Amino acid sequence: MKKFFMYVIVLVTLLFIGYTVYYFVQNNETISSTLGEENQIFLNVGETCDLPILWTKPYSSTKVYDDENVEIGDKEVLSYDSTTKTLVAKAGGNATVTITPSNTKFGPFMFSVVVGDGTTNFPYYIKNDEDLSNIGKTGHKFTLNDSYKLVKDIDLKSYSNWTPIGDSVNPFAGNFDGNNRIISNLTITSGSNVGLFGEISSLSNITNLTLNKVSIKGEFDNAGGIVAVSRGTIRLCKVLSFDFENTKVDSNNGGIAGYCENLSINNGSSDL
């Protein structure tokens, strides 16, 4: 009988120690969202992103990345791959994502994912300099006829001679919403029609865009901060701190646009 009670005491002690360790370790882990106040992610069709979760000192039994932990509001817009732990943008639209860790001390974490498809309702979202430079590139999904929206400030300091978006053969014919963001350090040293945009057609609209620290120096036919040749609409755009020099005689130059046909510039300003 004594042995039996000894076994019981040992078993209870081990269970107590095990539970104590479990409780201590589990309560030592932390799970949090890496998103800021906007609590929103912008993707374009075909893009993926990791779940915005910071998980430190994870406990082995806690589940965060399994299918049952991640709920997608609109599965036609967005899907979740638990193997790679990534969100996959499928179609233009807005989807709510809810992440519910099995450790109920944390979460649930809820945020929205907006997916761009190049339409006016869900434009392609420009998040960095690479996105911007890809507009109109041969073979890229960002065509010259799509709609775009800037969602981050962009620094072009890594481009020593920016290639303008659109030219006289293939002008930009889409919409570009600067979203009151700033593109800085645009530098151009050679070309014919130069600016952030080379040429825009009568179908084009460029709005709410600010350029800062622009340097355009060389010999050009047409030169402007926002666009070299404009046949479209430019509205609520600014060019700040413009360092400009065009050595070509009889060229067309301007802070916002170098040459305008059917002038349509509303509420624009330039430091030129």
Side-chain angles (χ1 to χ4, degrees):
M1 184 65 79
K2 269 187 175 182
K3 286 186 178 181
F4 173 76
F5 281 115
M6 286 284 290
Y7 288 138
V8 170
I9 291 171
V10 170
L11 180 60
V12 171
T13 302
L14 289 174
L15 287 172
F16 176 77
I17 293 172
Y19 178 78
T20 302
V21 171
Y22 166 83
Y23 182 83
F24 176 77
V25 173
Q26 188 181 44
N27 283 272
N28 210 27
E29 72 177 350
T30 60
I31 306 170
S32 60
S33 170
T34 59
L35 294 179
E37 293 182 0
E38 290 185 356
N39 210 33
Q40 193 172 56
I41 294 175
F42 291 96
L43 294 176
N44 296 310
V45 171
E47 294 179 346
T48 64
C49 74
D50 296 333
L51 288 182
I53 291 294
L54 178 63
W55 186 11
T56 60
K57 298 181 180 178
Y59 186 67
S60 59
S61 69
T62 301
K63 304 296 182 184
V64 176
Y65 298 117
D66 290 1
D67 287 322
E68 60 264 28
N69 303 114
V70 181
E71 181 182 352
I72 307 295
D74 191 337
K75 293 182 180 179
E76 291 186 359
V77 172
L78 193 71
S79 65
Y80 174 63
D81 186 339
S82 59
T83 303
T84 58
K85 302 180 180 66
T86 55
L87 299 169
V88 182
K90 298 168 61 179
N94 195 329
T96 300
V97 180
T98 304
I99 303 173
T100 308
S102 61
N103 185 344
T104 56
K105 282 184 59 181
F106 305 101
F109 305 103
M110 183 179 294
F111 56 93
S112 65
V113 178
V114 187
V115 179
D117 60 5
T119 62
T120 53
N121 288 334
F122 295 100
Y124 284 130
Y125 299 107
I126 303 302
K127 307 178 287 297
N128 50 52
D129 57 344
E130 184 179 4
D131 284 346
L132 188 65
S133 68
N134 280 332
I135 298 176
K137 275 190 178 178
T138 302
H140 200 278
K141 65 185 174 186
F142 291 173
T143 77
L144 294 169
N145 300 313
D146 290 318
S147 292
Y148 299 89
K149 186 174 184 177
L150 205 59
V151 293
K152 297 284 185 181
D153 292 338
I154 292 178
D155 193 333
L156 296 178
K157 63 183 178 182
S158 62
Y159 296 81
S160 59
N161 187 29
W162 173 259
T163 301
I165 300 168
D167 55 30
S168 58
V169 178
N170 297 297
F172 180 74
N175 302 297
F176 190 94
D177 180 3
N179 194 28
N180 296 312
R181 297 285 186 172
I182 298 173
I183 297 175
S184 58
N185 293 310
L186 171 67
T187 300
I188 300 175
T189 58
S190 64
S192 178
N193 297 327
V194 299
L196 181 68
F197 293 82
E199 184 166 333
I200 64 174
S201 79
S202 59
L203 301 174
S204 178
N205 292 278
I206 300 175
T207 59
N208 304 308
L209 177 61
T210 297
L211 301 185
N212 188 34
K213 298 180 180 177
V214 177
S215 176
I216 297 179
K217 292 182 176 182
E219 185 176 343
F220 317 107
D221 293 331
N222 302 285
I226 302 293
V227 59
V229 177
S230 174
R231 294 181 173 83
T233 298
I234 303 172
R235 184 168 58 88
L236 299 172
C237 292
K238 300 176 183 178
V239 180
L240 308 175
S241 185
F242 197 168
D243 187 9
F244 179 82
E245 182 182 353
N246 189 352
T247 59
K248 185 170 185 176
V249 179
D250 296 329
S251 58
N252 298 300
N253 308 295
I256 298 292
Y259 172 82
C260 291
E261 187 177 294
N262 299 322
L263 181 64
S264 184
I265 298 178
N266 302 317
N267 296 316
S269 64
S270 169
D271 285 350
L272 179 64

